[in-house]
Amino acid sequence: REYQVISKCSNEIISHAEQIGKCSRYAMGDALTYRAFNRYSNVHPYDRNRVRLAGNFDYINASHIELAGKKYIACQAPIRNRTEAQFWK
């Protein structure tokens, strides 16, 4: 039952994000376009601060973050045989 509630909420958030579009600072259109490359369906980077890889395919579910003056990259673990190559770029 709890999973169903969480799943429903996740789908509503995704639907809302799709409605916001690319004009919002909280837009996640890139992540929604590349859903197959996200390990978790309910965790998406914002377009404005996501890591962009060099090359034709620049998507990875990772974000630049700054905490206490230090810079980090937060990302999901790679998916075997799908996102391993992008993960190590």
Side-chain angles (χ1 to χ4, degrees):
R1 171 91 177 126
E2 288 179 21
Y3 173 78
Q4 291 173 336
V5 170
I6 291 169
S7 180
K8 182 177 183 236
C9 290
S10 175
N11 290 337
E12 288 174 5
I13 291 169
I14 290 170
S15 176
H16 180 66
E18 289 171 336
Q19 292 172 11
I20 290 173
K22 298 235 180 221
C23 61
S24 169
R25 70 179 285 204
Y26 300 109
M28 297 180 285
D30 293 340
L32 300 174
T33 299
Y34 298 109
R35 286 181 180 165
F37 299 96
N38 296 319
R39 177 173 283 279
Y40 304 105
S41 63
N42 62 342
V43 180
H44 307 288
Y46 294 125
D47 292 345
R48 67 182 164 82
N49 70 327
R50 77 171 179 86
V51 173
R52 295 179 189 273
L53 303 174
N56 292 335
F57 186 77
D58 73 346
Y59 182 78
I60 187 169
N61 191 324
S63 297
H64 296 280
I65 58 173
E66 188 171 336
L67 297 170
K70 295 184 180 183
K71 295 180 180 182
Y72 301 92
I73 293 177
C75 66
Q76 295 181 358
I79 302 169
R80 182 174 292 201
N81 299 324
R82 193 176 312 155
T83 60
E84 290 171 313
Q86 288 88 358
F87 183 81
W88 293 109
K89 281 189 177 183

